[in-house]
Amino acid sequence: MGKASPVIAAATWEISRRCVDRKFLLRPDAEVRSALLYCFAFTCEKYQMLLHALTLMDNHYHGSVSDPLGNRNDFVWELHGLIAKCIKKIRGKNGKDMDGPVWDPNVSYGRQWMASEAAFIESIVYIIANPVTAGLVKQPEEWAGFTSSPQDMLDNRCITVARPEWLDASYPRTATLRFSVPVAFGDKRRAFVDAVKSRLKERVKEVAIGMKEAGRDFIGIKSATDVSPFDSPKTSKKKNVIRPQFRAVTRTAILHAKRTIVAWHRAYRVAFEAFRRGNRKVEWPAGTWWFARYAGVNVAPISTWYTLGAS
């Protein structure tokens, strides 16, 4: 019950996933970079997900997507499976696939619902600045993996990628990655992107000051990529990490989001108990996914939810 998560059409999400044992399996070799971009392009096209930002690190990724049709679960399931298939081929030896899992099997993918416009700005900045905050490079564009830019959204940048050679002809020869500003911003598109640019500049400066005060240097691109894909960071893995269900900034937005999430889980529990007792006509809250898909339950209309709340 506690693991249930609403899948809301038109909502915007920050998604991420980390490799098993934090291994550098996604080390940004040209082959890996191309394969991962194809995986994102193909699955975004297939499930009509709108991509806003993307950063491919050496052992995890961060992305921002809007889900017009409520396809998030299908999207991430195929995305992660396809990436794993590619990485197993690339990291294999002597014609054999790599043994073992690619993704951490004990941790599900990260997903945070964007509960306000201010939160969305912070989310995009967090994603793009990730190589900087990790102490790898001084500027996001210096990262050897892939980091989108705020301008990519405004320009509706498209990147066409060729199908990796180990994928069969059931996959298209090319797939196109498309960036866009969330439709929720409407005629505020340019102001939104300008706000992201400004906050990103501030964040990069904040990291540089913090690094200097701590007497630390950025690792640099050569050292950051000159690692075995089967190695892991020397730092200890954080334990008992809280995985928030939403991102919000202002007090109003935080309270609104908490109430919305708590209300959803309560309604879900009530519906589940009624269903368990034999009531097949009980109404489940909007965003119910598994029982709607596999048990055909009655789900409340989407109007009972909202996408981007108070800023």
Side-chain angles (χ1 to χ4, degrees):
M1 294 297 296
K3 294 182 179 180
S5 174
V7 179
I8 304 295
T12 301
W13 302 85
E14 181 183 312
I15 59 173
S16 62
R17 196 163 191 187
R18 191 173 298 276
C19 294
V20 62
D21 297 328
R22 301 189 297 158
K23 292 180 180 178
F24 301 126
L25 296 174
L26 308 185
R27 186 186 67 189
D29 312 324
E31 191 176 25
V32 170
R33 181 180 183 275
S34 180
L36 265 58
L37 290 179
Y38 180 91
C39 292
F40 272 94
F42 169 75
T43 50
C44 281
E45 286 184 333
K46 180 175 180 178
Y47 295 104
Q48 299 183 52
M49 304 293 285
L50 305 179
L51 183 64
H52 312 306
L54 178 64
T55 292
L56 305 176
M57 298 293 283
D58 47 14
N59 63 6
H60 67 283
Y61 78 82
H62 292 282
S64 175
V65 294
S66 289
D67 183 13
L69 304 180
N71 287 331
R72 191 195 74 211
N73 279 353
D74 291 323
F75 162 69
V76 295
W77 180 84
E78 185 158 1
L79 170 66
H80 293 155
L82 195 58
I83 290 176
K85 183 176 183 178
C86 291
I87 295 300
K88 279 178 169 290
K89 291 290 185 182
I90 295 172
R91 301 305 183 200
K93 293 182 179 180
N94 302 320
K96 295 183 179 180
D97 290 0
M98 181 193 82
D99 289 333
V102 169
W103 304 113
D104 188 335
N106 299 315
V107 181
S108 64
Y109 75 97
R111 54 185 180 272
Q112 289 187 61
W113 162 54
M114 296 298 101
S116 71
E117 294 183 6
F120 189 82
I121 292 173
E122 290 299 315
S123 173
I124 296 294
V125 170
Y126 173 80
I127 291 170
I128 296 176
N130 208 251
V132 178
T133 55
L136 301 179
V137 291
K138 294 181 180 180
Q139 296 292 333
E141 58 269 21
E142 295 175 6
W143 178 235
F146 178 85
T147 306
S148 63
S149 73
Q151 192 65 31
D152 290 341
M153 292 184 288
L154 192 61
D155 293 343
N156 297 120
R157 183 186 180 191
C158 294
I159 303 173
T160 299
V161 193
R163 178 183 66 210
E165 61 181 16
W166 48 83
L167 294 181
D168 60 44
S170 64
Y171 295 93
R173 291 184 178 180
T174 62
T176 302
L177 205 63
R178 295 179 172 85
F179 292 92
S180 64
V181 173
V183 295
F185 289 95
D187 57 3
K188 297 186 294 182
R189 297 172 70 254
R190 185 173 295 278
F192 160 71
V193 172
D194 287 343
V196 172
K197 289 180 178 179
S198 177
R199 180 68 187 106
L200 179 60
K201 186 176 181 180
E202 290 177 358
R203 181 57 185 148
V204 169
K205 186 176 181 179
E206 290 168 0
V207 173
I209 293 174
M211 293 282 284
K212 185 176 182 179
E213 290 177 346
R216 296 172 55 201
D217 291 325
F218 288 93
I219 294 174
I221 194 62
K222 186 178 186 304
S223 297
T225 56
D226 189 19
V227 294
S228 166
F230 301 100
D231 283 346
S232 300
K234 295 179 180 179
T235 55
S236 300
K237 181 179 180 180
K238 295 180 180 179
K239 297 181 179 180
N240 302 318
V241 177
I242 297 176
R243 299 168 68 85
Q245 299 183 60
F246 65 86
R247 184 186 283 269
V249 176
T250 66
R251 179 178 175 80
T252 299
I254 291 172
L255 291 175
H256 193 179
K258 282 184 176 179
R259 289 168 181 163
T260 300
I261 292 293
V262 169
W264 187 89
H265 281 287
R266 286 175 177 169
Y268 188 91
R269 285 195 295 270
V270 169
F272 177 83
E273 289 301 323
F275 185 83
R276 188 171 65 86
R277 293 189 178 96
N279 182 355
R280 297 297 184 261
K281 295 183 179 180
V282 64
E283 185 178 71
W284 294 65
T288 297
W289 185 84
W290 194 92
F291 281 94
R293 168 71 66 86
Y294 298 106
V297 299
N298 180 31
V299 179
I302 198 67
S303 59
T304 58
W305 193 263
Y306 72 110
T307 53
L308 290 177
S311 59

